[in-house]
Amino acid sequence: MSLTINTTINGKSVSAGAEAAATLLEFLRDTLNLKGTKLCCNTGECGACTIIYNGKPINSCVTMAADANGAEITTIEGVADGEKLHPVQQAFIDTGAVQCGYCTPGYIISVKALLDRTKKPTMEEIEEAVSGNICRCTGYTKIVDAIQLAAQKL
Amino acid sequence: MDYFEPKTISEALSLLAKHGAEAKVIAGGTDVMVDIKYKEEPGCLINIKKVPGLGAIQESGAGLRIGPLVTIHELETNKLVREKLPVLWEASHQFASLQIRNTATIGGNICRASPSGETLAPLLVLDAKAKIAFADGEKTEPFTSFFQGPGKSTVGLKGLLTEIDIPYPAAGSKSVYLKHAVRGAMDIAMVGVAVLITPDAAKNSLQDVRIGLGAVAPTPLRATKTEALLRGEPLTAGLLKEAGAMAASEASPITDQRSSAEYRRWIVEALTRRGLQQTWKAATGKEVAS
């Protein structure tokens, strides 16, 4: 059964079709061609598919595409301001917090959501905020450095 | 696959009546979407998120009334839950990642009826009750008789969980939820133990004691024999040891990829002892007498 999804993605109104069984991740990547959000574990455990949904970070791989109806969604494509990178993106570059890069969009989104709700996060809050994101290259130290740098700059 | 978004409880119930066994109720979707991808697509999906009135946390008499659509993160950040039902707060805080907690609902965790469901052992020791709506009326079911097996509960194929009623524990009571897992909150519990005790007025003995065990039987369960052993007694080192061993014998765990049955029994024993020790100290200010 095909549904019509009316939603707001990165500030723009979008209307497109989706199968009832489709995930929000499939809708973003395959229907809207927004490939920045990554498909990885596909079971809600690794955080590579993290997006901001009505202000909150969620795993798009275990969310129904149908739930995008009426929602406001931010994906990695909507984080930068035109050519100007978001301070969280810049901090990941400046600290070398990117190895293979596959987990990076999910991390950037989780960290943006953290800094949207807490300007000066404690180490505990940082760890909590990204505990649902896995870096298979295990570059966690630099990622924490990046988060602290981004918090200072914001 | 058909898809419905009922706008009222009665509309959801008629859809369940009509589609029966081929229907699947979905809320947060963190488990159901995984099943759709890797197990089986149901004949129809009934998304209840548009049903109004199922997403609130309200004080009602001397307790909280929690709607099934309340997310785990809403539980975790609710002041009343944190202050009045700390054992449920602890479980919601150790519940997977923030991304999942922002999506998964308490009703989903309950109706999934997984033996390892993080909120279930706490609900058992809180003496919480479920309100379930059916096409021909509603019923109230204590969680102690709600679960019938992995994935099975008295909600059945045609009911809808509409409310979770949790009385506040007695004044002076203390509780704890202990989860044993390799990767902390991110992991499914190998064992979860909830303990709630109320000392007598003189703080010399256990007036009430409730022990909930998760992930060690086909359903979450209360260790009722262990509770009976402890009730009315002062907590001594000897009794603590006996209680741990009895709780382990009340569990009937399986061996799976997370741990062996034997290991799970050891953990039940250890966590029951630890939970009793911690709550006893918190409630009476005393160490367990040797």
Side-chain angles (χ1 to χ4, degrees):
Chain A
M1 181 171 161
S2 190
L3 312 168
T4 304
I5 312 292
N6 296 305
T7 182
T8 304
I9 297 177
N10 301 327
K12 288 186 195 126
S13 294
V14 174
S15 183
E19 282 304 308
T23 64
L24 184 48
L25 177 64
E26 287 160 349
F27 180 67
L28 292 169
R29 287 180 58 86
D30 304 337
T31 306
L32 303 180
N33 208 30
L34 292 168
K35 306 274 190 189
T37 306
K38 298 302 177 201
L39 166 70
C40 188
C41 75
N42 214 11
T43 54
E45 294 178 39
C46 79
C49 68
T50 305
I51 57 159
I52 299 179
Y53 176 93
N54 292 337
K56 294 177 184 140
I58 65 161
N59 292 323
S60 59
C61 76
V62 288
T63 304
M64 275 181 288
D67 281 337
N69 247 326
E72 290 209 9
I73 291 167
T74 303
T75 68
I76 190 68
E77 288 88 349
V79 170
D81 179 11
E83 290 296 302
K84 192 175 180 296
L85 293 181
H86 188 277
V88 175
Q89 293 174 304
Q90 193 59 53
F92 269 67
I93 295 170
D94 293 346
T95 55
V98 177
Q99 290 186 37
C100 85
Y102 201 79
C103 70
T104 310
Y107 266 99
I108 303 270
I109 290 287
S110 282
V111 175
K112 181 186 183 301
L114 167 71
L115 298 179
D116 283 349
R117 61 179 186 269
T118 322
K119 288 289 164 233
K120 291 199 170 86
T122 61
M123 186 55 104
E124 199 190 351
E125 284 167 331
I126 290 175
E127 287 179 1
E128 167 80 30
V130 295
S131 65
N133 292 80
I134 294 174
C135 169
R136 189 62 188 81
C137 310
T138 70
Y140 294 107
T141 308
K142 299 270 188 196
I143 290 172
V144 171
D145 291 348
I147 300 169
Q148 287 174 321
L149 179 64
Q152 279 170 24
K153 296 231 164 134
L154 267 168
Chain B
M1 188 182 70
D2 285 334
Y3 175 80
F4 301 97
E5 284 183 2
K7 303 288 187 294
T8 62
I9 291 171
S10 62
E11 197 187 332
L13 292 173
S14 349
L15 286 165
L16 283 167
K18 188 175 165 205
H19 295 278
E22 59 155 27
K24 185 87 202 163
V25 173
I26 187 166
T30 55
D31 275 327
V32 174
M33 290 309 281
V34 175
D35 283 355
I36 288 175
K37 280 185 271 190
Y38 296 104
K39 286 184 186 165
E40 197 178 10
E41 201 172 293
C44 93
L45 212 49
I46 302 175
N47 183 356
I48 58 166
K49 276 207 290 296
K50 299 276 159 64
V51 178
L54 299 182
I57 301 177
Q58 290 169 304
E59 197 154 38
S60 155
L64 284 190
R65 179 181 293 169
I66 298 179
L69 294 183
V70 167
T71 66
I72 304 302
H73 190 59
E74 284 165 352
L75 276 185
E76 187 192 10
T77 49
N78 184 278
K79 204 165 157 255
L80 284 168
V81 171
R82 178 131 200 197
E83 273 172 20
K84 307 278 195 174
L85 308 173
V87 70
L88 185 61
W89 178 82
E90 280 182 282
S92 58
H93 188 58
Q94 296 178 60
F95 191 117
S97 66
L98 180 60
Q99 289 97 314
I100 294 292
R101 298 202 292 275
N102 275 332
T103 317
T105 64
I106 184 168
N109 197 234
I110 291 167
C111 292
R112 181 75 173 174
S114 162
S116 61
E118 217 73 75
T119 65
L120 309 184
L123 289 172
L124 287 178
V125 299
L126 287 166
D127 273 346
K129 292 185 177 75
K131 198 177 269 180
I132 310 165
F134 295 92
D136 57 354
E138 62 175 22
K139 70 169 177 178
T140 299
E141 181 87 42
F143 283 107
T144 44
S145 55
F146 179 92
F147 301 104
Q148 299 177 325
K152 289 203 173 67
S153 74
T154 53
V155 171
L157 295 173
K158 305 214 162 164
L160 190 72
L161 175 67
T162 55
E163 206 171 287
I164 299 123
D165 289 311
I166 313 179
Y168 291 146
S173 71
K174 291 290 173 189
S175 59
V176 70
Y177 178 66
L178 300 169
K179 170 179 177 174
H180 187 67
V182 178
R183 286 180 59 216
M186 284 303 292
D187 230 347
I188 294 172
M190 283 184 238
V191 176
V193 175
V195 176
L196 188 149
I197 68 159
T198 312
D200 66 342
K203 298 186 175 182
N204 286 327
S205 65
L206 292 158
Q207 188 179 297
D208 190 17
V209 52
R210 304 176 199 165
I211 300 167
L213 307 179
V216 291
T219 67
L221 74 153
R222 284 272 293 267
T224 49
K225 285 182 197 155
T226 313
E227 293 175 1
L229 171 80
L230 293 162
R231 200 166 291 124
E233 301 292 327
L235 193 58
T236 60
L239 189 60
L240 195 59
K241 204 174 166 199
E242 220 181 312
M246 190 174 277
S249 75
E250 288 192 76
S252 49
I254 54 164
T255 293
D256 65 8
Q257 73 275 22
R258 271 183 286 282
S259 66
S260 68
E262 187 189 16
Y263 181 73
R264 280 193 164 98
R265 279 192 206 276
W266 288 341
I267 299 298
V268 170
E269 185 169 351
L271 294 190
T272 301
R273 279 206 312 262
R274 191 179 303 165
L276 286 166
Q277 221 164 2
Q278 283 182 12
T279 49
W280 175 259
K281 187 164 182 205
T284 66
K286 290 183 270 200
E287 299 289 345
V288 174
S290 50

